[in-house]
Amino acid sequence: EAQVTQNPRYLITVTGKKLTVTCSQNMNHEYMSWYRQDPGLGLRQIYYSMNVEVTDKGDVPEGYKVSRKEKRNFPLILESPSPNQTSLYFCASSDSGGGYGYTFGSGTRLTVV
Amino acid sequence: GQNIDQPTEMTATEGAIVQINCTYQTSGFNGLFWYQQHAGEAPTFLSYNVLDGLEEKGRFSSFLSRSKGYSYLLLKELQMKDSASYLCAVPYNQGGKLIFGQGTELSVKP
Protein backbone atom coordinates (compact mmCIF):
# COMPACT_ATOMS: atom_id res chain seq x y z
CA GLU A 1 0.00 0.00 0.00
CA ALA A 2 1.32 3.42 -1.01
CA GLN A 3 1.79 5.48 2.10
CA VAL A 4 3.73 7.98 4.15
CA THR A 5 4.62 6.61 7.58
CA GLN A 6 5.46 8.82 10.54
CA ASN A 7 6.61 7.74 13.97
CA PRO A 8 5.76 8.19 16.70
CA ARG A 9 2.06 9.15 16.56
CA TYR A 10 2.19 10.72 20.01
CA LEU A 11 5.17 12.03 21.95
CA ILE A 12 5.48 13.87 25.24
CA THR A 13 8.95 15.15 26.05
CA VAL A 14 10.73 17.68 28.22
CA THR A 15 12.30 20.96 27.22
CA GLY A 16 15.79 20.57 25.82
CA LYS A 17 15.76 16.82 25.22
CA LYS A 18 16.70 16.12 21.60
CA LEU A 19 14.18 14.16 19.58
CA THR A 20 13.68 12.85 16.07
CA VAL A 21 10.41 12.25 14.30
CA THR A 22 10.85 9.76 11.48
CA CYS A 23 9.13 9.86 8.11
CA SER A 24 9.29 7.27 5.37
CA GLN A 25 7.50 6.94 2.02
CA ASN A 26 7.28 3.91 -0.23
CA MET A 27 6.22 5.65 -3.45
CA ASN A 28 9.69 6.65 -4.70
CA HIS A 29 8.64 10.29 -4.48
CA GLU A 30 11.25 12.97 -5.06
CA TYR A 31 9.63 15.69 -2.96
CA MET A 32 9.12 15.48 0.79
CA SER A 33 8.03 18.05 3.31
CA TRP A 34 7.32 18.72 6.98
CA TYR A 35 4.42 20.83 8.25
CA ARG A 36 3.20 21.85 11.65
CA GLN A 37 -0.44 22.62 12.36
CA ASP A 38 -1.61 24.89 15.14
CA PRO A 39 -5.12 26.18 15.95
CA GLY A 40 -5.79 29.46 14.19
CA LEU A 41 -2.56 29.28 12.20
CA GLY A 42 -3.28 26.41 9.84
CA LEU A 43 -0.62 24.27 8.18
CA ARG A 44 2.79 25.90 8.01
CA GLN A 45 5.70 24.41 6.13
CA ILE A 46 8.87 23.82 8.14
CA TYR A 47 11.26 22.33 5.59
CA TYR A 48 10.98 20.64 2.24
CA SER A 49 13.25 18.52 0.08
CA MET A 50 13.38 18.22 -3.69
CA ASN A 51 15.62 15.15 -3.75
CA VAL A 52 18.40 13.39 -1.88
CA GLU A 53 20.73 15.90 -0.21
CA VAL A 54 18.58 18.85 -1.43
CA THR A 55 16.58 20.64 1.24
CA ASP A 56 15.21 24.14 1.72
CA LYS A 57 13.54 26.17 4.43
CA GLY A 58 9.81 26.64 4.56
CA ASP A 59 8.06 29.39 6.47
CA VAL A 60 8.87 28.29 10.05
CA PRO A 61 12.27 26.51 10.07
CA GLU A 62 13.64 27.93 13.33
CA GLY A 63 14.38 25.25 15.91
CA TYR A 64 14.22 22.38 13.43
CA LYS A 65 16.68 20.39 11.32
CA VAL A 66 16.12 17.89 8.54
CA SER A 67 18.21 15.56 6.46
CA ARG A 68 17.60 13.63 3.24
CA LYS A 69 20.27 10.98 2.95
CA GLU A 70 17.97 8.47 1.26
CA LYS A 71 15.08 9.10 -1.07
CA ARG A 72 12.51 7.36 1.13
CA ASN A 73 13.37 8.96 4.49
CA PHE A 74 13.07 12.54 5.71
CA PRO A 75 13.49 12.79 9.50
CA LEU A 76 12.64 15.93 11.46
CA ILE A 77 15.07 16.73 14.26
CA LEU A 78 14.44 19.00 17.23
CA GLU A 79 17.82 19.56 18.83
CA SER A 80 16.50 21.40 21.89
CA PRO A 81 12.69 21.31 21.94
CA SER A 82 10.79 24.13 23.61
CA PRO A 83 7.12 24.37 24.65
CA ASN A 84 6.31 26.56 21.63
CA GLN A 85 7.08 23.55 19.45
CA THR A 86 4.12 21.71 20.91
CA SER A 87 2.07 21.04 17.81
CA LEU A 88 0.66 18.51 15.36
CA TYR A 89 3.29 17.61 12.78
CA PHE A 90 2.71 16.15 9.33
CA CYS A 91 5.17 14.67 6.88
CA ALA A 92 4.20 14.60 3.22
CA SER A 93 5.58 13.43 -0.10
CA SER A 94 4.94 14.13 -3.78
CA ASP A 95 6.27 12.94 -7.10
CA SER A 96 6.24 16.48 -8.43
CA GLY A 97 6.31 19.98 -7.04
CA GLY A 98 2.85 20.63 -8.38
CA GLY A 99 0.09 18.79 -10.17
CA TYR A 100 -0.29 15.93 -7.75
CA GLY A 101 0.13 17.79 -4.52
CA TYR A 102 1.34 16.12 -1.40
CA THR A 103 0.30 12.84 0.22
CA PHE A 104 0.34 13.25 3.98
CA GLY A 105 1.32 10.94 6.80
CA SER A 106 -1.03 10.36 9.74
CA GLY A 107 0.60 13.00 11.92
CA THR A 108 2.64 13.20 15.11
CA ARG A 109 1.21 15.01 18.10
CA LEU A 110 4.14 16.43 20.05
CA THR A 111 3.88 17.93 23.51
CA VAL A 112 6.92 19.65 25.03
CA VAL A 113 6.66 20.34 28.77
CA GLY B 1 4.86 36.87 -1.39
CA GLN B 2 1.94 34.55 -1.02
CA ASN B 3 -1.37 35.27 0.69
CA ILE B 4 -4.42 33.03 0.87
CA ASP B 5 -7.80 33.94 2.34
CA GLN B 6 -10.69 31.63 3.17
CA PRO B 7 -13.71 32.03 5.45
CA THR B 8 -13.05 30.54 8.87
CA GLU B 9 -16.33 28.70 9.32
CA MET B 10 -19.42 27.74 7.36
CA THR B 11 -22.57 25.83 8.23
CA ALA B 12 -24.84 24.03 5.79
CA THR B 13 -27.70 21.53 5.83
CA GLU B 14 -27.53 17.89 4.83
CA GLY B 15 -28.52 17.47 1.18
CA ALA B 16 -27.81 21.09 0.31
CA ILE B 17 -25.06 22.70 -1.80
CA VAL B 18 -22.27 24.78 -0.31
CA GLN B 19 -19.58 26.92 -1.94
CA ILE B 20 -16.28 27.56 -0.15
CA ASN B 21 -14.33 30.48 -1.53
CA CYS B 22 -10.59 31.08 -1.63
CA THR B 23 -8.76 34.19 -2.79
CA TYR B 24 -5.03 34.21 -3.28
CA GLN B 25 -2.15 36.49 -4.15
CA THR B 26 1.00 34.93 -5.56
CA SER B 27 4.16 36.16 -7.20
CA GLY B 28 3.81 33.43 -9.81
CA PHE B 29 1.02 30.95 -10.41
CA ASN B 30 1.59 27.19 -10.46
CA GLY B 31 -1.91 25.92 -9.81
CA LEU B 32 -4.23 25.68 -6.81
CA PHE B 33 -5.07 22.72 -4.61
CA TRP B 34 -8.03 21.85 -2.41
CA TYR B 35 -7.62 19.43 0.48
CA GLN B 36 -10.10 17.98 2.97
CA GLN B 37 -9.09 17.42 6.58
CA HIS B 38 -11.18 15.72 9.23
CA ALA B 39 -10.38 16.65 12.82
CA GLY B 40 -7.15 15.07 14.02
CA GLU B 41 -6.49 13.39 10.68
CA ALA B 42 -4.19 14.03 7.74
CA PRO B 43 -5.26 16.31 4.88
CA THR B 44 -6.38 14.40 1.79
CA PHE B 45 -6.18 15.66 -1.78
CA LEU B 46 -9.44 16.75 -3.41
CA SER B 47 -8.56 18.71 -6.54
CA TYR B 48 -5.96 20.63 -8.50
CA ASN B 49 -6.74 23.50 -10.91
CA VAL B 50 -4.18 25.12 -13.15
CA LEU B 51 -6.46 26.42 -15.95
CA ASP B 52 -9.51 28.66 -15.64
CA GLY B 53 -12.88 27.02 -15.35
CA LEU B 54 -14.79 24.37 -13.49
CA GLU B 55 -13.53 20.85 -12.86
CA GLU B 56 -16.12 18.37 -11.68
CA LYS B 57 -15.36 15.21 -9.73
CA GLY B 58 -18.48 13.50 -8.42
CA ARG B 59 -20.16 15.58 -5.71
CA PHE B 60 -17.18 17.93 -5.55
CA SER B 61 -16.27 20.59 -8.11
CA SER B 62 -13.55 23.20 -8.10
CA PHE B 63 -13.46 26.47 -10.01
CA LEU B 64 -10.53 28.75 -10.83
CA SER B 65 -10.24 32.27 -12.17
CA ARG B 66 -6.57 33.21 -12.51
CA SER B 67 -7.29 36.81 -13.51
CA LYS B 68 -9.28 37.35 -10.30
CA GLY B 69 -7.04 35.29 -8.02
CA TYR B 70 -10.12 33.34 -7.00
CA SER B 71 -11.18 29.75 -6.56
CA TYR B 72 -14.10 27.96 -5.01
CA LEU B 73 -14.92 24.44 -3.97
CA LEU B 74 -18.52 23.37 -4.55
CA LEU B 75 -19.95 20.49 -2.57
CA LYS B 76 -23.29 19.07 -3.68
CA GLU B 77 -25.73 16.74 -1.92
CA LEU B 78 -24.02 17.37 1.37
CA GLN B 79 -23.59 14.46 3.75
CA MET B 80 -22.81 14.49 7.45
CA LYS B 81 -19.38 12.99 6.68
CA ASP B 82 -18.54 16.15 4.71
CA SER B 83 -18.15 17.99 8.02
CA ALA B 84 -14.44 18.79 7.91
CA SER B 85 -11.93 21.54 7.29
CA TYR B 86 -11.32 22.46 3.64
CA LEU B 87 -7.90 23.83 2.82
CA CYS B 88 -6.92 25.89 -0.17
CA ALA B 89 -3.21 25.73 -1.11
CA VAL B 90 -0.92 27.22 -3.73
CA PRO B 91 2.60 26.17 -4.70
CA TYR B 92 5.19 28.87 -4.18
CA ASN B 93 7.50 27.37 -6.76
CA GLN B 94 8.00 24.14 -8.67
CA GLY B 95 10.32 22.90 -5.96
CA GLY B 96 7.82 21.59 -3.44
CA LYS B 97 6.98 24.65 -1.38
CA LEU B 98 3.20 24.51 -0.87
CA ILE B 99 1.44 27.21 1.12
CA PHE B 100 -1.93 26.60 2.78
CA GLY B 101 -4.73 28.90 3.75
CA GLN B 102 -6.02 28.60 7.31
CA GLY B 103 -8.87 26.39 6.19
CA THR B 104 -12.66 26.64 6.28
CA GLU B 105 -14.37 24.57 8.97
CA LEU B 106 -17.60 23.22 7.45
CA SER B 107 -20.34 21.92 9.71
CA VAL B 108 -23.12 19.92 8.09
CA LYS B 109 -26.34 19.86 10.14
CA PRO B 110 -29.22 17.38 9.79
Side-chain angles (χ1 to χ4, degrees):
Chain A
E1 180 188 352
Q3 60 186 2
V4 178
T5 303
Q6 292 178 232
N7 281 297
R9 287 295 307 275
Y10 301 91
L11 178 61
I12 301 174
T13 191
V14 296
T15 299
K17 185 176 181 182
K18 181 180 178 180
L19 67 91
T20 299
V21 184
T22 63
C23 175
S24 180
Q25 51 96 2
N26 62 0
M27 296 168 280
N28 201 37
H29 283 172
E30 291 185 356
Y31 296 84
M32 296 187 75
S33 183
W34 276 102
Y35 285 86
R36 62 177 289 174
Q37 188 171 36
D38 303 288
L41 297 175
L43 277 165
R44 293 180 293 167
Q45 199 167 27
I46 303 170
Y47 271 95
Y48 59 101
S49 169
M50 292 148 276
N51 215 323
V52 174
E53 302 290 4
V54 183
T55 63
D56 206 351
K57 296 177 181 178
D59 294 318
V60 288
E62 295 79 18
Y64 304 94
K65 285 175 58 177
V66 293
S67 68
R68 188 93 180 273
K69 293 184 170 52
E70 306 164 284
K71 199 171 187 179
R72 64 182 292 127
N73 295 322
F74 191 45
L76 179 70
I77 303 157
L78 286 72
E79 294 270 4
S80 183
S82 62
N84 65 12
Q85 293 179 297
T86 292
S87 186
L88 178 59
Y89 290 87
F90 288 103
C91 179
S93 73
S94 171
D95 63 357
S96 71
Y100 297 99
Y102 276 113
T103 299
F104 284 81
S106 299
T108 295
R109 189 166 291 280
L110 173 66
T111 302
V112 184
V113 298
Chain B
Q2 314 285 100
N3 190 50
I4 302 172
D5 286 310
Q6 305 179 235
T8 304
E9 297 176 328
M10 296 184 73
T11 302
T13 304
E14 193 175 14
I17 300 173
V18 71
Q19 178 175 311
I20 302 173
N21 296 325
C22 171
T23 58
Y24 63 89
Q25 294 171 315
T26 64
S27 52
F29 186 73
N30 294 299
L32 185 143
F33 293 90
W34 282 97
Y35 281 81
Q36 180 191 60
Q37 186 180 25
H38 286 99
E41 298 182 9
T44 55
F45 171 82
L46 287 178
S47 67
Y48 172 66
N49 294 68
V50 66
L51 299 176
D52 290 350
L54 185 69
E55 299 230 356
E56 298 185 69
K57 195 185 293 184
R59 293 190 300 115
F60 292 11
S61 302
S62 55
F63 172 83
L64 177 67
S65 169
R66 289 174 295 173
S67 63
K68 296 181 180 176
Y70 168 69
S71 174
Y72 67 72
L73 182 69
L74 193 70
L75 290 74
K76 303 176 186 175
E77 301 169 16
L78 279 172
Q79 302 175 9
M80 299 298 290
K81 67 178 182 180
D82 297 330
S83 292
S85 185
Y86 291 86
L87 312 173
C88 174
V90 294
Y92 179 74
N93 53 29
Q94 293 288 349
K97 187 170 184 179
L98 184 65
I99 298 177
F100 284 83
Q102 290 194 21
T104 298
E105 190 69 38
L106 174 67
S107 296
V108 180
K109 307 291 187 188

